[in-house]
Amino acid sequence: MAQLVVEDVSLHFGAVAALDRISLSVEPGEICAIIGPNGAGKTSLLNCISRIYRPTRGHVTFENSDITRLARHKVASRGIARTFQNIALFKGMTVLDNLMLGRHIHMRTGLIEAGFYFGRAQREESRHRAVVEEVIEFLGLESVRRNTAGELPYGMQKRVELGRALAAMPRLLLLDEPMAGMNVEEKEEMVRAVLDINAEWGMTVMLIEHDMGVVMDISSHIVVLDFGKKIADGDAGTVRRDPTVIRAYLGEEDETLRRAAQEIDAVETAVAAGMSSGGGD
């Protein structure tokens, strides 16, 4: 049974259709990549799932529960966490404190208890601190745990943001361009982290990524958007051979598409080159 179902979702900003009747499903334990040219609607789709936006029409169902109109914090409490295309850390706070904020949806201590910090408040913080320390060790952040987040290199800040989302212990993790702006070494570390999160922690991962080599290597499921419409949905082998997908990236004529579809290696190189300009939705 699908863990996440997006059914006939549209999103309009005035006369502009950011999403047009998108339907897809994600199975438990998948790594699902959302790809497409700049402006395709990828981030808008994640925003509808995480309830930053409310869809104009359609439904989003997570683990058999309709979350389309839930408040944003309630969607998080259901087991969905995300990172953002632009780093959204509290840069004046330490790495440890940023990750502790990822646990806030699980905190039950009242204001008075928390203010005086005794009894249940102390026990609860200890439990949450143990989870955060596990995440810090998992992501290799021990050496910077007391550092102010804003002082860290860009690639490390991206890993801290991943850690904050991971600290919530979601069942579905939404990653918006987690490797954008990273050098090769940083990107390799992030790829390993995503694979380990999926394999060792059993989390379903849904990510937006422009590096087609990464997408083809790690994704069990790929959804392709173009101008707010879904144009392909399947495994890597199916998607990379799809003439409609190649056309969306490269703008080639049909005869060229047919030849390109027969030369998979050439297609992957061309797609990666077409995406190298980067950028968001």
Side-chain angles (χ1 to χ4, degrees):
M1 185 175 295
Q3 185 176 28
L4 175 74
V5 178
V6 176
E7 183 179 7
D8 203 30
V9 163
S10 295
L11 178 67
H12 291 84
F13 299 104
V16 177
L19 298 172
D20 187 7
R21 298 191 173 189
I22 302 295
S23 294
L24 59 91
S25 61
V26 178
E27 301 296 319
E30 281 190 335
I31 297 179
C32 176
I34 309 297
I35 67 172
N38 295 334
K42 304 179 295 295
T43 294
S44 294
L45 178 59
L46 290 198
N47 286 344
C48 286
I49 294 169
S50 58
R51 273 292 290 114
I52 290 174
Y53 297 153
R54 177 181 291 183
T56 307
R57 63 171 293 167
H59 298 276
V60 179
T61 303
F62 178 64
E63 296 180 345
N64 297 319
S65 179
D66 191 331
I67 62 171
T68 313
R69 288 171 173 76
L70 281 184
R72 194 180 310 170
H73 70 279
K74 290 185 178 179
V75 170
S77 67
R78 293 289 179 93
I80 299 176
R82 68 166 296 175
T83 65
F84 292 87
Q85 187 174 341
N86 298 315
I87 295 172
L89 296 172
F90 291 92
K91 295 191 176 182
M93 298 172 62
T94 66
V95 169
L96 178 62
D97 288 338
N98 268 279
L99 266 64
M100 284 294 289
L101 286 173
R103 296 295 301 164
H104 78 279
I105 60 171
H106 300 293
M107 294 181 179
R108 299 292 179 264
T109 303
L111 182 62
I112 295 177
E113 287 177 296
F116 286 101
Y117 191 64
F118 63 86
R120 189 171 68 162
Q122 288 180 320
R123 293 191 297 272
E124 184 177 53
E125 180 171 339
S126 295
R127 290 195 300 271
H128 294 307
R129 179 72 169 267
V131 174
V132 166
E133 293 292 354
E134 184 179 2
V135 173
I136 286 173
E137 181 179 1
F138 180 78
L139 293 177
L141 297 171
E142 298 97 330
S143 64
V144 298
R145 59 198 298 280
R146 295 289 184 184
N147 289 49
T148 302
E151 298 174 350
L152 299 176
Y154 178 83
M156 187 69 76
Q157 288 189 37
K158 294 282 278 190
R159 209 187 315 172
V160 173
E161 184 167 40
L162 173 62
R164 186 174 59 186
L166 193 57
M169 291 296 154
R171 295 183 297 283
L172 173 62
L173 185 60
L174 308 177
L175 306 178
D176 193 346
E177 297 194 37
M179 297 156 219
M182 290 186 168
N183 60 37
V184 173
E185 183 179 352
E186 291 169 337
K187 190 175 290 188
E188 289 175 350
E189 290 176 352
M190 183 64 76
V191 167
R192 284 195 294 270
V194 171
L195 289 172
D196 288 345
I197 287 167
N198 177 251
E200 297 179 24
W201 294 34
M203 292 181 188
T204 305
V205 178
M206 197 171 183
L207 79 157
I208 296 170
E209 181 51 51
H210 283 302
D211 188 321
M212 291 299 100
V214 170
V215 168
M216 295 298 171
D217 283 346
I218 73 173
S219 305
S220 53
H221 179 192
I222 300 173
V223 176
V224 189
L225 303 183
D226 190 29
F227 291 106
K229 296 180 180 291
K230 186 180 80 170
I231 61 173
D233 188 342
D235 60 26
T238 300
V239 166
R240 68 187 179 183
R241 290 174 171 84
D242 192 313
T244 308
V245 175
I246 302 169
R247 184 183 297 113
Y249 279 109
L250 303 178
E252 300 289 347
E253 297 299 325
D254 288 346
E255 185 60 32
T256 306
L257 290 172
R258 283 191 287 271
R259 291 197 302 269
Q262 296 171 359
E263 300 291 341
I264 299 304
D265 291 338
V267 168
E268 290 183 1
T269 301
V271 170
M275 295 303 299
S276 63
S277 59
D281 286 337

